[in-house]
């Protein structure tokens, strides 16, 4: 819905010569009034006694249409302006799909409000909105024109001061601080208590900020999207509507307003208090200032995260897994996550990379404490899962991490392609062969080498369990250690420069980590350990000995 508002200045009366009217208009500061067009879709014009505009034209199509009608002396517009001078109520006129109301101002002037009607707009709702706005603006304009130069009027002061408060909060870079400043300021200035809700990643809306309120007011923790108006029109709720929401409060008015800030992101405000028509319009303007601040902060958060994750260049001697863990930490911190996992899967379904708590990758994505973001380029799929307690994730947080995942996916895919050839050259050699060579090199350098073999009980096997465990183990061991798949139910871990005692500690930690996946209540997976030291003779295969130790346990 697009709207246009025309301010038609006072016509001269016997006590106010034409020159005085021009002076009264030009000596005031109208910045607050010029700020309204993009908040209420309004065009502002003051017209003198000859119906000529005084204010500069607004740069919109609606403003150009209304100015053309005024300059051409369109008969129905002129008749409505003249008729409103003698009417205690606004005079309505419709021309060229524009519905307009003309209000009488003090000293013989008029205020003309106009809205372009689209096919799905309701003329009755349009007139109601224009009447509310006109009731507020006529008083505000009259009060401003009667003030001496540089005097402070109430409405301009409120608008400018409230915008300054939100700008100060926005400079701190926190969406929660901006919402908190909005709620706290209006509770003091307007004596209005506010419940602020935001779209959840699992649907519906949850309360994002604790309202400043009297003990007798209780806001519901969640809202169903079905009860929220889908347009940006503020709605005054009936007592039955209030009861259905589960909102309990002392007698007063309850208003609801939806603020969309993206395709899948919206905020909903519940206003509770003694709210008259003029205050209702003012709250709409304040809410649009909040929308502007939220959009700015969301864009800033996205740009900052994208810059952070793409700034990390992979050093030649740094494993890709280490770089992926750095990126995962940045993505997780951006939304205050506590645990997370990042995985890249190839188009054929094979897993190319997994870091973090990979058990999260198989958790239910519909949980309110899970945030899932994906990026696909045809060759691979990157999946990020973040967990956090307490409290649900908001849709705007998903938008932030989605941008980060989309930004990091291309360079991580390129890094995987660079290592693909090396992996291909090694693919003909079994894991145990590679581990034997690496262990021999460590011993030759005077370091001990330990091998752990984990043999998974067949009753525990399920799709992707082995690959998931390998990813989790790699996230736990040191950068110079290795983990790989021996068979469809065996995993081998090589710990370079690790004694038998140190290997036992690692083994215990891994057993504790993996036991959470054993639904039997007992850890049925067997683990074998073998250590080779530079000062002790050793014959045979390290991997084979550890494998045999695991088999002996079954």
């Amino acid at each position: 819905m697009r709207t246009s508002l025309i301010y038609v200045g006072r016509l001269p009366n016997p006590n106010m010569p034409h020159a005085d009217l021009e002076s009264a208009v030009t000596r005031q500061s109208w910045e607050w009034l010029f700020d309204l067009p993009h908040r209420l879709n309004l065009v502002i014009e003051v017209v003198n006694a000859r119906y000529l505009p005084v204010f500069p034209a607004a740069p919109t199509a609606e403003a150009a249409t209304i100015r053309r009608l005024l300059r051409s002396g369109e008969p129905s517009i002129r008749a409505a302006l003249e008729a409103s001078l003698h009417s205690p109520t606004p005079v309505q006129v419709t021309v060229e799909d524009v519905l307009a109301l003309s209000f009488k101002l003090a000293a013989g002037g008029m205020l003309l409000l106009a809205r372009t009607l689209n096919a799905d707009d309701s003329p009755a709702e349009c007139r109601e909105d224009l009447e509310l706005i006109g009731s507020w603006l006529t008083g505000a304009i009259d009060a401003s024109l009667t003030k001496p130069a540089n005097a402070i009027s109430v409405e301009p002061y409120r608008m400018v001061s409230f915008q300054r408060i939100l700008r100060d909060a926005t400079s701190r870079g926190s969406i929660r601080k901006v919402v908190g400043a909005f709620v706290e300021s209006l509770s003091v200035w307007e004596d209005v208590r506010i419940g602020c809700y935001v779209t959840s990643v699992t649907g519906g809306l949850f309360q994002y900020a604790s309202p400043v309120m009297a003990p007798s007011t209780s806001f519901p923790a969640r809202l169903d999207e079905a009860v929220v108006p889908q347009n940006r029109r503020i709605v005054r709720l009936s007592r039955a509507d209030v009861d259905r929401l589960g909102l309990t409060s002392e007698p007063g008015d309850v208003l609801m307003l939806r603020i969309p800030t993206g395709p899948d992101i919206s905020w909903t405000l519940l206003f509770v208090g003694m709210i008259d028509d003029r205050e209702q319009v003012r709250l709409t303007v304040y809410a649009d200032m909040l929308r502007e601040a939220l959009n700015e902060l969301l864009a800033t958060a996205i740009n900052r995260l994208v810059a952070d994750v793409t700034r990390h260049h992979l050093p030649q001697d740094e494993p890709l897994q280490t770089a992926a863990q750095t990126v995962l930490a940045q993505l997780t911190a951006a939304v205050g996550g506590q645990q997370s996992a990042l995985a890249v899967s190839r188009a054929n379904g094979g897993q190319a990379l997994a870091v973090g708590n990979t058990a999260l990758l198989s958790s239910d994505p519909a949980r309110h404490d899970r945030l899932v973001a994906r990026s696909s380029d045809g060759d691979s799929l990157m999946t990020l899962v973040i967990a956090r307690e307490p409290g649900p994730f908001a849709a705007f947080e998903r938008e932030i991490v989605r941008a980060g995942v989309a930004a990091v996916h291309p360079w991580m895919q390129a890094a995987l392609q660079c290592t693909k050839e090396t992996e291909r050259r090694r693919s003909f050699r079994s894991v145990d062969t590679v581990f034997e060579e690496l262990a021999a090199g460590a011993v030759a350098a005077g370091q001990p080498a330990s091998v752990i073999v984990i043999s998974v009980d067949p009753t525990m096997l399920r799709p992707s369990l082995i690959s998931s465990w390998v990813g989790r183990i790699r996230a736990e061991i040191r950068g110079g250690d290795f983990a790989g798949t021996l068979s469809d139910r065996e995993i081998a871990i090589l710990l370079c420069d690790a004694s038998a005692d140190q290997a036992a500690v690692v083994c215990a930690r891994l057993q504790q980590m993996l036991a959470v996946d054993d639904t039997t209540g007992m850890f049925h997976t067997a683990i074998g350990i073998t250590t080779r030291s530079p000062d002790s003779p050793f014959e045979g295969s390290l991997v084979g000995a550890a494998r045999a130790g695991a088999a002996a346990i079954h």
Side-chain angles (χ1 to χ4, degrees):
M1 182 179 289
R2 304 293 297 276
T3 56
S4 297
L5 166 65
I6 318 304
Y7 299 95
V8 181
R10 311 172 187 220
L11 297 178
N13 62 24
N15 299 320
M16 180 176 286
H18 172 72
D20 291 343
L21 172 65
E22 296 278 343
S23 175
V25 171
T26 56
R27 70 172 177 250
Q28 298 298 320
S29 175
W30 297 101
E31 284 82 359
W32 70 278
L33 209 55
F34 294 149
D35 189 49
L36 291 179
H38 72 282
R39 303 202 183 284
L40 298 174
N41 294 321
L42 304 174
V43 178
I44 302 174
E45 291 198 16
V46 170
V47 178
N48 62 22
R50 297 184 301 277
Y51 297 100
L52 297 177
V54 175
F55 284 163
T60 65
E62 287 78 13
T65 297
I66 299 300
R67 176 155 290 197
R68 173 176 55 81
L69 294 174
L70 286 171
R71 286 191 178 279
S72 65
E74 202 284 328
S76 57
I77 294 287
R78 179 69 63 87
L81 293 172
E82 293 176 350
S84 64
L85 288 173
H86 311 287
S87 173
T89 59
V91 176
Q92 178 176 327
V93 61
T94 302
V95 57
E96 295 187 13
D97 295 326
V98 174
L99 189 153
L101 291 181
S102 179
F103 298 78
K104 178 181 179 180
L105 289 171
M110 295 86 67
L111 168 68
L112 184 70
L113 306 184
R115 172 170 291 167
T116 301
L117 292 174
N118 298 318
D120 57 346
D121 290 337
S122 165
E125 289 184 353
C126 176
R127 179 186 174 96
E128 180 183 349
D129 290 344
L130 296 182
E131 285 180 342
L132 289 175
I133 296 172
S135 174
W136 175 57
L137 282 176
T138 50
I141 294 173
D142 285 339
S144 294
L145 285 175
T146 57
K147 293 284 184 181
N150 300 321
I152 299 177
S153 298
V154 174
E155 292 299 342
Y157 176 79
R158 283 178 167 177
M159 295 294 113
V160 174
S161 298
F162 192 79
Q163 194 164 31
R164 185 181 300 114
I165 289 173
L166 287 186
R167 284 175 179 168
D168 290 344
T170 302
S171 66
R172 302 172 196 165
S174 168
I175 288 179
R176 192 169 294 276
K177 288 185 182 298
V178 167
V179 174
F182 178 85
V183 171
E184 183 177 356
S185 297
L186 291 188
S187 71
V188 175
W189 286 20
E190 306 288 347
D191 193 22
V192 173
R193 291 165 298 286
I194 302 173
C196 181
Y197 298 81
V198 66
T199 309
S200 166
V201 294
T202 57
L205 299 100
F206 66 92
Q207 192 176 121
Y208 185 76
S210 299
V212 178
M213 56 188 174
S216 57
T217 304
S218 176
F219 286 83
R222 298 185 67 87
L223 292 179
D224 189 333
E225 289 182 347
V227 304
V228 178
Q230 294 306 300
N231 54 26
R232 292 174 56 184
R233 187 171 181 267
I234 195 166
V235 175
R236 190 175 291 267
L237 303 183
S238 67
R239 178 49 55 181
D241 294 331
V242 172
D243 292 340
R244 278 193 293 269
L245 285 177
L247 173 66
T248 59
S249 66
E250 68 276 10
D253 304 295
V254 180
L255 282 68
M256 179 182 287
L257 176 63
R258 175 178 174 268
I259 308 175
T261 56
D264 302 318
I265 307 170
S266 68
W267 300 74
T268 295
L269 302 175
L270 280 178
F271 302 99
V272 178
M274 305 305 293
I275 305 172
D276 61 20
D277 290 346
R278 294 189 178 190
E279 192 170 26
Q280 176 176 328
V281 178
R282 193 182 302 123
L283 291 175
T284 303
V285 177
Y286 290 153
D288 193 70
M289 292 181 184
L290 175 63
R291 176 198 60 80
E292 186 176 76
L294 292 174
N295 279 337
E296 180 181 342
L297 280 174
L298 180 60
T300 300
I302 288 175
N303 292 337
R304 183 186 299 118
L305 181 61
V306 169
D308 288 343
V309 297
T310 55
R311 188 181 296 119
H312 184 87
H313 298 288
L314 185 64
Q316 189 172 3
D317 59 345
E318 181 182 51
L320 176 57
Q321 197 142 7
T322 302
Q325 288 172 335
T326 299
V327 168
L328 177 60
Q330 293 170 325
L331 293 169
T332 306
V335 292
Q338 296 166 333
Q339 298 184 65
S340 58
L342 181 69
V344 180
S345 302
R346 297 190 179 94
N348 61 10
Q351 193 174 76
L353 177 70
V355 294
N357 183 3
T358 54
L360 294 173
L361 297 170
S362 58
S363 62
D364 182 6
R367 291 177 51 168
H368 75 278
D369 59 347
R370 297 287 189 270
L371 190 158
V372 180
R374 296 184 175 91
S375 173
S376 176
D377 64 359
D379 294 327
S380 65
L381 171 67
M382 176 177 285
T383 302
L384 169 71
V385 182
I386 301 176
R388 181 181 69 195
E389 286 287 355
F393 281 101
F396 75 83
E397 293 176 305
R398 180 176 57 194
E399 195 73 10
I400 293 172
V401 297
R402 273 179 175 172
V405 169
V408 78
H409 188 191
W411 75 256
M412 193 169 288
Q413 173 64 16
L416 285 169
Q417 291 292 341
C418 290
T419 61
K420 195 173 182 180
E421 188 61 32
T422 302
E423 293 176 355
R424 187 179 294 115
R425 289 196 300 268
R426 292 182 176 177
S427 63
F428 71 94
R429 297 191 301 167
S430 62
V431 169
D432 55 346
T433 301
V434 174
F435 279 17
E436 294 293 347
E437 292 180 2
L438 293 173
V443 172
Q447 300 173 345
S450 296
V451 171
I452 302 173
V453 170
I454 300 174
S455 178
V456 181
D457 189 292
T459 61
M460 288 185 59
L461 286 175
R462 65 175 185 269
S464 303
L465 176 67
I466 294 296
S467 60
S468 174
W469 277 17
V470 169
R472 291 167 64 183
I473 291 169
R474 286 174 176 170
E476 289 294 322
I477 59 180
R478 300 169 301 179
D481 298 332
F482 304 90
T485 303
L486 280 178
S487 67
D488 60 351
R489 67 184 191 91
E490 290 179 306
I491 299 170
I493 302 106
L494 172 63
L495 307 175
C496 296
D497 195 16
S499 66
D501 291 341
Q502 291 170 327
V505 172
V506 174
C507 180
R509 188 171 75 244
L510 293 178
Q511 179 175 334
Q512 184 179 12
M513 179 184 72
L514 302 177
V516 296
D517 289 340
D518 193 339
T519 58
T520 64
M522 298 179 63
F523 192 67
H524 286 183
T525 296
I527 299 180
I529 308 175
T530 302
T531 300
R532 180 179 176 184
S533 302
D535 55 354
S536 301
F538 184 89
E539 294 182 0
S541 166
L542 270 176
V543 177
R547 204 173 194 176
I553 298 175
H554 280 303

